[in-house]
Amino acid sequence: MGKKMKISLAVLRRQFELYQDEYEEAALRVLRSGWYLLGPELEALEKEFAQFVGAKYCVGLNSGLDALTLGVRVLGIGRGDEVIVPSNTYIATVLAVTENGATPVFVEPDACYNMDADKVEAAITDRTKAILAVHLYGQSANMAKISAISKKYHLRLLEDCAQSHGAYYDGKMTGTFGDIGCFSFYPTKNLGAFGDSGAIVTDDPKIARMVHMMRNYGSEVKYHNEIEGVNSRLDEIQAALLRVKLSHLQELNAERNWIAKQYLESITNPAIILPPPREHANHIYHQFVIRTKNRDGFQAYLKEHDIATTIHYPIPPHLAECYRYLGHHEGDFPIAEQYAHEVLSMPMYNGMTKDEIQYVIDITNAYHG
Ligand SMILES: *Cc1c(COP(=O)(O)O)cnc(C)c1O
């Protein structure tokens, strides 16, 4: 084995350094313009991101959680309504439902970690209003089946695309299968800002107009408040920086794919389950998530060798302390619970060097599970 190295899970600074001049130019352009909110940079980003995704409209917001929460709200979903969500997801997906007073109904994941399309129909009741699919880790859920089910039962369909900027299914971009696609631009996401931000995309002009109003206190004309809105604006500096990153997103995703390819081809340790591909889908490797029986042991072993990893996610939402009132118990969603015990996200970031990748591969292959 080669020399000892120190590997982080993600190195955001390297992403910045890849296009440093462009970022600095964009930030300075905004600082010098004297216009900091709801201006030309946001408008341009919304146009460019809508085009990238293949949607008619994009509305920039303050975070991915806001995109999800306002997405659920704009569809009129609230108290007494049920929304089908995956049991294997980040808590934000579920918060968007409960924040609106609606009830999350969990569906177990398939072998690719996303909502198992074959288990969705069994979760539908006469209170079900929507399906909120998530494209976890950077790979689309089975959207052919999920959108067919949403049509068959006249359910609204939302997508949590916080981890899937540029991921598609059957050649169609995630975020465009249902009524609303919800994106986060949190710094670690594939399309990450240098602070908080998010957006929704939609083809429906009424939805776009409503979210447009909601994000700015419920008004389109200043001081004329048509609806009870919130403050959820994507600022001009973040918009300008995101435009730079968006212009390089395909390269950035391709680089992550290349890193994943090295892992997939060279990690041969039988104790490690590599991320399975889904038919008809690409993968943008927001996270490179492996599974192994003695996950905590493997993580500690990697740490001894200075390789940082993390767990996405250690506690499935139905067992989160804040959701005790939903009345779920250990054993209710055994697949999500098993994944929570077995998954581990390996180092994956733009600017990762060949030596760093090789070091992770060598140390992983030398592990005795
Ligand atoms: C990051 C993330 C969110 C929330 O996005 P924020 O911008 O942090 O609010 C929602 N869902 C998933 C799956 C995420 O990974």
Side-chain angles (χ1 to χ4, degrees):
M1 213 169 295
K3 63 176 170 27
K4 219 169 147 46
M5 301 183 84
K6 187 174 171 62
I7 316 284
S8 307
L9 180 73
V11 187
L12 292 177
R13 204 188 153 77
R14 291 216 191 142
Q15 278 211 29
F16 165 67
E17 284 165 352
L18 282 176
Y19 310 109
Q20 180 163 355
D21 293 347
E22 291 175 67
Y23 289 129
E24 289 179 355
E25 192 279 323
L28 277 175
R29 182 173 74 230
V30 176
L31 286 173
R32 288 171 178 160
S33 76
W35 194 295
Y36 306 120
L37 282 168
L38 302 180
E41 297 289 344
L42 177 58
E43 249 176 62
L45 172 70
E46 288 172 338
K47 207 169 278 167
E48 289 159 9
F49 192 64
Q51 195 167 22
F52 173 80
V53 174
K56 287 209 180 97
Y57 308 96
C58 168
V59 183
L61 299 166
N62 195 44
S63 71
L65 177 59
D66 278 5
L68 288 158
T69 305
L70 297 181
V72 170
R73 188 168 305 164
V74 75
L75 296 178
I77 295 164
R79 209 156 291 282
D81 298 332
E82 290 177 0
V83 178
I84 292 173
V85 295
S87 55
N88 186 45
T89 187
Y90 182 53
I91 193 93
T93 313
V94 187
L95 287 172
V97 175
T98 56
E99 173 66 22
N100 286 294
T103 304
V105 174
F106 298 101
V107 168
E108 287 272 62
D110 58 23
C112 298
Y113 308 118
N114 279 314
M115 181 188 275
D116 188 337
D118 292 328
K119 293 180 178 160
V120 172
E121 277 189 281
I124 295 172
T125 73
D126 50 12
R127 293 178 160 217
T128 309
K129 286 285 169 356
I131 301 171
L132 173 42
V134 183
H135 310 298
L136 207 63
Y137 308 145
Q139 187 169 245
S140 175
N142 184 341
M143 292 315 289
K145 276 196 181 161
I146 292 173
S147 57
I149 293 167
S150 75
K151 287 191 181 93
K152 180 175 167 192
Y153 292 88
H154 305 289
L155 302 175
R156 297 296 209 150
L157 177 58
L158 297 104
E159 296 171 77
D160 180 340
C161 305
Q163 303 188 2
S164 72
H165 319 78
Y168 50 80
Y169 184 89
D170 258 345
K172 192 171 157 62
M173 206 66 102
T174 53
T176 62
F177 284 87
D179 299 281
I180 303 176
C182 307
F183 288 85
S184 164
F185 304 132
Y186 181 80
T188 60
K189 312 291 188 187
N190 288 41
L191 178 59
F194 296 78
D196 271 316
S197 50
I200 63 114
V201 298
T202 183
D203 280 343
D204 184 333
K206 280 195 285 280
I207 289 173
R209 181 173 175 267
M210 285 292 279
V211 176
H212 206 264
M213 281 200 289
M214 279 176 172
R215 77 168 174 198
N216 194 29
Y217 297 111
S219 68
E220 215 160 44
V221 178
K222 209 169 186 177
Y223 306 130
H224 289 256
N225 301 85
E226 288 181 49
I227 53 173
E228 281 181 88
V230 298
N231 172 353
S232 183
R233 299 178 291 229
L234 195 169
D235 70 74
E236 287 287 283
I237 291 181
Q238 297 306 333
L241 295 169
L242 281 165
R243 291 180 66 201
V244 173
K245 197 173 273 183
L246 178 59
S247 75
H248 296 294
L249 182 57
Q250 299 290 24
E251 299 148 54
L252 291 165
N253 282 350
E255 187 190 9
R256 281 174 182 268
N257 236 276
W258 185 83
I259 297 165
K261 191 161 167 274
Q262 310 313 305
Y263 282 163
L264 290 168
E265 284 175 356
S266 303
I267 295 178
T268 51
N269 191 329
I272 307 299
I273 300 172
L274 294 165
R278 185 188 297 286
E279 237 184 298
H280 309 299
N282 67 339
H283 203 317
I284 60 156
Y285 293 103
H286 170 60
Q287 299 294 346
F288 189 92
V289 178
I290 63 94
R291 275 199 294 138
T292 189
K293 282 275 171 254
N294 178 14
R295 189 266 320 276
D296 294 346
F298 180 53
Q299 185 177 35
Y301 163 85
L302 291 177
K303 191 170 175 223
E304 271 168 37
H305 289 87
D306 265 342
I307 296 174
T309 56
T310 196
I311 299 162
H312 296 104
Y313 298 92
I315 303 171
H318 70 280
L319 297 179
E321 217 176 306
C322 66
Y323 285 138
R324 218 176 280 160
Y325 71 90
L326 292 174
H328 293 299
H329 301 284
E330 188 125 17
D332 284 358
F333 300 99
I335 303 173
E337 290 166 23
Q338 184 194 343
Y339 288 171
H341 285 119
E342 295 183 355
V343 294
L344 193 67
S345 300
M346 302 292 282
M348 164 62 74
Y349 50 89
N350 291 109
M352 194 172 183
T353 67
K354 279 184 183 160
D355 286 352
E356 289 171 336
I357 298 165
Q358 194 58 48
Y359 180 72
V360 174
I361 292 167
D362 291 342
I363 296 291
T364 300
N365 284 339
Y367 169 70
H368 298 286

